[in-house]
Amino acid sequence: MKNYSLGKSNLQSSRLIYGCMRIAGDQSVNDIAKGKLAVHSAIDAGYNHFDHADIYGGGASEQLFGELLKRSPHLREKMIITSKASIRPKNNENPYAPTRYDFSKQYILSSVEGSLKRLHTEQLDLFLLHRPDYLFDIHEVTETFKQLKASGKVAHFGVSNFKPSQVAMLQSALDLPLLVNQVEINIHNIDALNDGTLDQCQQDKLSPIAWCPLGGVAYAAWGNTFSAKDEQRIAGELTLQAQKYNCEAWQVILAWLLKHPADIFPIIGSTTPERIVAAKVALELNYSREDWYRLLEARNGQSVP
């Protein structure tokens, strides 16, 4: 699998990133075994970038991954490990506090410590702020990033689900570059095409990472607004293109994302080894500009103005 630089760094990430959100499943013996097999399948298929967050599986996903690294520490040097923090679910420890976002220095530092411990690693290659905190203080975040960098606990930083104005605001206070913005991009949610997110990524050399890239095709999109007529129209076009490129419809969708000149890195979150490997087919498709716009037209139900 061909590797690409992440943002303005020398980190060489596989173009497809393996998403570890579901690797612990329901934390049963069978699901844990399935998750471990999925991670090894991704490694064998050439994925070198693994995406985590402190809340995935309530920490169980990082713990499972950490157990693999503990048994096979030689794997670590070939990996890029990303984790994220800021989403604080409602819990029994503080029943008064609602679900919230938290960019406070104390919380970020404790979250990173927790991730490092669960992952059995001394450093995160990349740490992302998971979702924007409405009480976001750029100076506090900047100070926190500096401390994490100086301590060697985090090598690089980025954001997730940020709007362009939020990225620009944080970057204005940082003396080191943000490398990525991880956002939802799929055939259902094309906000990143229209709200300046991908424009900013190209302009500032910020790598866009697409979560839920197959939403609306392989599985229901978050907050789905497609009608049955919309779905039929998209499915019809995907069928034609899948036949043309001799592949599956979901592989066409990945090729559609990969076509964008911002160099999108899709996250593959399947725990099925065959699908983890099959996702690489999209990297080899000579996907045309005409087919890109045909699929957009099918999605919108009308041609561009």
Side-chain angles (χ1 to χ4, degrees), residues 2-305:
K2 187 176 180 180
N3 293 346
Y4 284 66
S5 295
L6 286 176
K8 298 175 181 177
S9 79
N10 58 3
L11 285 181
Q12 294 292 307
S13 170
S14 51
R15 188 65 184 278
L16 301 179
I17 296 172
Y18 187 69
C20 297
M21 184 170 71
R22 297 184 176 86
I23 58 173
D26 62 8
Q27 300 177 40
S28 65
V29 173
N30 287 340
D31 275 8
I32 292 295
K34 183 178 180 181
K36 290 179 179 178
L37 177 61
V39 172
H40 281 297
S41 297
I43 293 170
D44 291 343
Y47 293 73
N48 77 338
H49 189 166
F50 297 86
D51 180 75
H52 293 270
D54 57 353
I55 64 168
Y56 290 167
S61 295
E62 288 184 332
Q63 186 172 347
L64 182 156
F65 197 90
E67 290 172 1
L68 291 177
L69 287 183
K70 189 175 181 180
R71 292 194 187 96
S72 304
H74 65 281
L75 295 174
R76 178 65 183 97
E77 63 187 34
K78 300 177 181 179
M79 290 179 173
I80 295 173
I81 296 181
T82 291
S83 196
K84 305 181 289 292
S86 79
I87 302 175
R88 301 191 68 173
K90 188 173 183 178
N91 58 59
N92 294 330
E93 294 179 9
N94 183 3
Y96 179 78
T99 298
R100 60 211 184 276
Y101 306 133
D102 194 342
F103 282 3
S104 67
K105 184 176 182 179
Q106 180 181 2
Y107 184 69
I108 292 175
L109 291 177
S110 66
S111 293
V112 170
E113 288 286 356
S115 290
L116 292 174
K117 183 177 180 179
R118 289 187 293 272
L119 288 164
H120 288 283
T121 190
E122 295 181 355
Q123 183 184 69
L124 295 177
D125 299 293
L126 189 56
F127 172 73
L128 313 184
L129 298 171
H130 203 161
R131 284 191 178 273
D133 180 3
Y134 292 107
L135 302 178
F136 180 9
D137 183 330
I138 59 172
H139 303 295
E140 183 176 12
V141 170
T142 298
E143 182 60 33
T144 306
F145 281 8
K146 286 181 178 178
Q147 183 171 331
L148 288 169
K149 179 77 171 178
S151 68
K153 293 177 181 177
V154 176
H156 302 280
F157 300 88
V159 295
S160 181
N161 301 299
F162 270 44
K163 297 301 183 186
S165 61
Q166 295 166 326
V167 174
M169 180 174 69
L170 178 56
Q171 187 63 78
S172 71
L174 284 173
D175 57 5
L176 49 91
L178 296 169
L179 298 192
V180 308
N181 189 6
Q182 184 180 127
V183 295
E184 182 182 11
I185 318 175
N186 51 48
I187 195 64
H188 179 267
N189 187 340
I190 59 171
D191 289 350
L193 296 175
N194 300 315
D195 66 7
T197 294
L198 294 180
D199 300 336
Q200 182 184 55
C201 286
Q202 283 202 76
Q203 179 177 345
D204 296 343
K205 200 174 180 182
L206 191 74
S207 293
I209 297 176
W211 62 265
C212 199
L214 301 177
V217 176
Y219 42 79
W222 290 62
N224 182 49
T225 60
F226 282 157
S227 66
K229 186 176 180 180
D230 293 332
E231 292 173 348
Q232 291 171 2
R233 192 174 57 246
I234 294 167
E237 180 61 30
L238 281 174
T239 297
L240 292 174
Q241 293 195 22
Q243 292 173 347
K244 175 180 177 179
Y245 291 101
N246 192 29
C247 66
E248 301 292 331
W250 63 273
Q251 294 165 329
V252 171
I253 289 293
L254 291 178
W256 188 75
L257 294 176
L258 294 167
K259 181 71 176 178
H260 197 280
D263 289 339
I264 297 169
F265 290 75
I267 293 177
I268 306 301
S270 175
T271 55
T272 302
E274 293 78 11
R275 290 180 71 86
I276 293 169
V277 175
K280 297 199 300 178
V281 168
L283 299 169
E284 305 302 324
L285 299 183
N286 186 21
Y287 195 67
S288 75
R289 177 182 291 262
E290 291 75 20
D291 285 325
W292 195 96
Y293 273 98
R294 281 181 61 91
L295 190 50
L296 180 67
E297 182 175 307
R299 184 248 180 230
N300 292 339
Q302 59 186 22
S303 65
V304 294

